[in-house]
Amino acid sequence: GAGVSQTPSNKVTEKGKYVELRCDPISGHTALYWYRQSLGQGPEFLIYFQGTGAADDSGLPNDRFFAVRPEGSVSTLKIQRTERGDSAVYLCASSLRFERGNEQFFGPGTRLTVL
Amino acid sequence: GENVEQHPSTLSVQEGDSAVIKCTYSDSASNYFPWYKQELGKGPQLIIDIRSNVGEKKDQRIAVTLNKTAKHFSLHITETQPEDSAVYFCAASSGTGGFKTIFGAGTRLFVKA
């Protein structure tokens, strides 16, 4: 079956602009996670959802970052007033259930470049 | 806060040799430790995991060991092959207040044919 998909695969924007990054999880997966990966680093936790609600958003770096999952499936990560330091690969993952130890399946990521 | 340290950052081995990657974690409440392999342009993929009630787990050429007292866990790859070349990440699932997964910085493994 289809894995986690993310669109766009690449996004180039200018400093100060608004961007939206989309994640389509594996069908039936109730848990969804967003990570940010800078060059040469491991994924950095941003937020995860159980269903429609954000169970933990403590990883969001500041109030310019926001994520939604209105119907419990597709999720959108929104970044306002982008800064050059936001440049990174944004990864989305989903898991069947919301519990520790449930395998997370990652998408290929969206590479965001802020000029 | 929670932290996972991983070393070495780069590891080069000859085909057929073994590779060992080591990690330490800070949150004593962590009880789930997955390992991921990431190839260029792709998302990480789970290769093996271990829970805190187990000291060792093996899956063909891959094994993971866990020492909860020392807060250490390690990945062992035997009989390495060129296709094992990738970046490997260890991670720990934080036990405090939720199921955040904290990743190490990664080890770039080169297997020379």
Side-chain angles (χ1 to χ4, degrees):
Chain A
V4 177
S5 63
Q6 294 186 244
T7 54
S9 56
N10 282 283
K11 176 69 177 179
V12 180
T13 190
E14 293 180 344
K15 180 175 178 293
K17 300 291 188 181
Y18 168 83
V19 297
E20 290 189 351
L21 311 178
R22 176 187 168 108
C23 173
D24 282 82
I26 293 172
S27 177
H29 280 197
T30 60
L32 185 145
Y33 313 79
W34 282 100
Y35 296 87
R36 179 170 68 177
Q37 186 173 27
S38 299
L39 191 63
Q41 297 295 315
E44 173 193 7
F45 168 81
L46 296 177
I47 184 172
Y48 64 69
F49 291 86
Q50 166 63 355
T52 60
D56 186 339
D57 64 358
S58 63
L60 295 177
N62 51 60
D63 60 6
R64 296 187 297 106
F65 289 75
F66 189 71
V68 296
R69 194 186 185 197
E71 298 179 354
S73 178
V74 171
S75 177
T76 304
L77 178 66
K78 307 181 180 190
I79 310 174
Q80 298 178 320
R81 304 183 304 279
T82 51
E83 299 177 357
R84 293 195 179 87
D86 298 335
S87 296
V89 175
Y90 289 81
L91 294 165
C92 175
S94 69
S95 64
L96 185 59
R97 291 182 297 275
F98 183 63
E99 62 187 37
R100 188 178 302 117
N102 213 241
E103 180 177 357
Q104 295 182 32
F105 294 84
F106 282 82
T110 293
R111 181 176 298 277
L112 175 66
T113 303
V114 182
L115 301 176
Chain B
E2 308 96 341
N3 187 49
V4 175
E5 295 189 359
Q6 180 173 350
H7 60 94
S9 56
T10 305
L11 178 60
S12 184
V13 300
Q14 201 69 36
E15 182 179 3
D17 288 349
S18 295
V20 179
I21 302 170
K22 298 183 178 183
C23 291
T24 59
Y25 61 97
S26 61
D27 187 346
S28 57
S30 297
N31 64 1
Y32 174 64
F33 307 90
W35 286 85
Y36 290 86
K37 177 182 181 181
Q38 187 173 29
E39 298 176 327
L40 195 63
K42 297 183 179 180
Q45 181 178 12
L46 182 74
I47 56 172
I48 194 167
D49 56 14
I50 191 168
R51 299 169 195 274
S52 60
N53 58 347
V54 175
E56 183 174 356
K57 182 177 178 181
K58 188 174 182 180
D59 182 3
Q60 298 182 2
R61 296 187 297 110
I62 295 173
V64 57
T65 59
L66 171 65
N67 181 331
K68 281 217 76 179
T69 302
K71 297 184 197 171
H72 288 172
F73 57 117
S74 300
L75 177 72
H76 304 251
I77 306 174
T78 59
E79 301 172 25
T80 53
Q81 301 167 3
E83 51 265 38
D84 293 331
S85 297
V87 180
Y88 291 81
F89 294 98
C90 62
S93 181
S94 170
T96 53
F99 301 150
K100 287 198 304 187
T101 302
I102 307 300
F103 284 77
T107 296
R108 184 172 295 279
L109 174 65
F110 296 95
V111 180
K112 296 176 287 186

